[in-house]
Amino acid sequence: MFIHNLESLSTEELTTLAATLTEVTASTLIELQIKTWVKRSPNTRGRMRQSADALLQKRIEQRSEQLRRLELPDDSLRWIIRQQLAVRVHKTRSRDLIGDTELAWAVLRHIAPLYQIRIRPTTSIDWLEQEVFRRFIRELGEKIEEELRTVEKDPARIDYLEDEIERRLQALSRGEREALQRDLGLTHLTGHELRVFATRGGLTTAALAGAASTGMGLYLATTTITHALATTLLGITLPFAAYTTLTSALALLLSPVGALVLVGGGGLIQWSKLRRAVDRRVLLHAFVMLVQGGFVPAATGGEPQGSGENGKSCRG
């Protein structure tokens, strides 16, 4: 169960995740949107999204630094993360946190609507974890492919991007590189080969196929390319899930229509929708970061029928 992977995260990973869960809220995104619009000029209009991402990055980094200065033990950081997850799923109790199993169900039930996943009484928590992760990888692969198609029009940017992908591949351990090459079925593992594979739809195809490809290898491929795209094209260095899972909520705020809806008629209704959307994306961020601490095996075939965690079926 992904919640258990909190025990596998390093102090730095726990700190970053706690900072993200604490800091990234609908109110924060609106504040960033206002700052972006105030600073906007005709020459910077096209960089609004980059500016908002940079502000979000700075906010997370500031909160992370505050937590580091407190020198909290890992157990305290895990408590903060569990508490923040419980708040997002409206499962807080006055005296104590809910159990990990109940918390995991609640997080997954909140994320599932992002991918139109139907949860039945017989849905098991293992299948639901696998399916959410598989669909996230597919979504991320589609975004990567879209970005790569725009890069193809500029040979200089292609060379720059391939060099950055190559550099990140070399930073992986031997075991990670072998898993990436094996799961994607690549004959050679280079920046050029991985970029071509992704541009031609290989990441999405692999995610749709399931099997081992939705585990460690495909995860490493998507994160490697995402990091490279972010640093070469956007000039930002957020943890990959921060700018891949939060983009939907941020996109609404970066849209003039979305901004007008928020401050215009029906604002309370739109505020409620925005807050739900942000919470779901932040929960997805946390889920992905926890899954990477212990990769789940991919689902094969249809949804298995039977019991959930500890013999209990999903009740949602």
Side-chain angles (χ1 to χ4, degrees), residues 130-288:
Q130 294 164 7
E131 187 65 9
V132 168
F133 185 65
R134 184 181 69 84
R135 296 204 191 189
F136 164 74
I137 291 294
R138 186 176 70 181
E139 178 189 38
L140 182 55
E142 290 171 350
K143 290 180 180 179
I144 289 173
E145 289 160 19
E146 183 179 350
E147 292 292 335
L148 289 176
R149 282 193 291 270
T150 65
V151 175
E152 276 199 317
K153 302 174 184 178
D154 187 342
R157 295 172 77 192
I158 289 178
D159 291 341
Y160 186 24
L161 178 60
E162 288 184 353
D163 287 346
E164 183 63 22
I165 294 175
E166 181 72 28
R167 187 179 71 82
R168 293 182 179 279
L169 286 174
Q170 294 304 316
L172 299 176
S173 69
R174 179 179 178 181
E176 290 172 332
R177 290 195 299 272
E178 289 177 349
L180 196 160
Q181 187 171 352
R182 179 187 64 248
D183 287 356
L184 299 188
L186 297 175
T187 305
H188 304 287
L189 187 59
T190 65
H192 172 74
E193 292 289 336
L194 188 53
R195 182 195 65 78
V196 171
F197 176 85
T199 303
R200 293 177 178 174
L203 297 176
T204 303
T205 301
L208 287 170
S213 57
T214 48
M216 187 176 185
L218 185 53
Y219 176 88
L220 289 171
T222 53
T223 56
T224 296
I225 298 175
T226 301
H227 273 303
L229 281 168
T231 54
T232 58
L233 304 184
L234 301 177
I236 58 176
T237 55
L238 275 172
F240 92 99
Y243 49 72
T244 55
T245 63
L246 298 177
T247 48
S248 291
L250 200 56
L252 171 63
L253 293 174
L254 293 175
S255 163
V257 175
L260 289 174
V261 168
L262 287 173
V263 299
L268 289 177
I269 296 176
Q270 294 302 323
W271 165 253
S272 178
K273 290 181 178 179
L274 174 65
R275 188 170 60 182
R276 273 200 309 274
V278 172
D279 282 345
R280 282 173 177 161
R281 284 286 165 176
V282 172
L283 288 170
L284 177 61
H285 165 87
F287 168 77
V288 172

Side-chain angles (χ1 to χ4, degrees), residues 15-139:
T15 299
T16 301
L17 181 54
T20 301
L21 288 170
T22 303
E23 196 61 37
V24 183
T25 64
S27 299
T28 299
L29 295 182
I30 288 178
E31 178 186 342
L32 298 182
Q33 166 64 16
I34 292 173
K35 290 182 177 180
T36 301
W37 275 79
V38 168
K39 295 179 179 180
R40 187 186 63 169
S41 70
N43 294 328
T44 61
R45 185 174 182 178
R47 296 196 296 271
M48 285 179 62
R49 186 175 190 133
Q50 178 179 345
S51 175
D53 279 338
L55 290 173
L56 179 61
Q57 175 187 4
K58 184 177 181 180
R59 186 67 64 89
I60 294 173
E61 289 176 345
Q62 289 174 339
R63 178 66 69 173
S64 297
E65 184 58 30
Q66 291 174 1
L67 291 173
R68 291 187 195 99
R69 290 177 181 174
L70 291 175
E71 297 183 347
L72 297 173
D74 287 356
D75 282 346
S76 295
L77 292 171
R78 294 186 187 104
W79 186 91
I80 292 173
I81 292 169
R82 285 187 169 92
Q83 179 67 41
Q84 287 297 319
L85 291 174
V87 168
R88 300 275 182 175
V89 299
H90 317 295
K91 288 286 186 178
T92 51
R93 291 176 177 169
S94 58
R95 293 187 179 181
D96 199 3
L97 289 173
I98 62 176
D100 279 356
T101 300
E102 185 180 355
L103 181 59
W105 274 121
V107 169
L108 289 169
R109 279 196 292 265
H110 274 70
I111 297 173
L114 288 172
Y115 301 117
Q116 292 79 50
I117 299 174
R118 291 187 60 187
I119 302 176
R120 300 178 176 87
T122 54
T123 298
S124 72
I125 194 169
D126 289 339
W127 180 87
L128 190 55
E129 279 191 40
Q130 294 164 7
E131 187 65 9
V132 168
F133 185 65
R134 184 181 69 84
R135 296 204 191 189
F136 164 74
I137 291 294
R138 186 176 70 181
E139 178 189 38

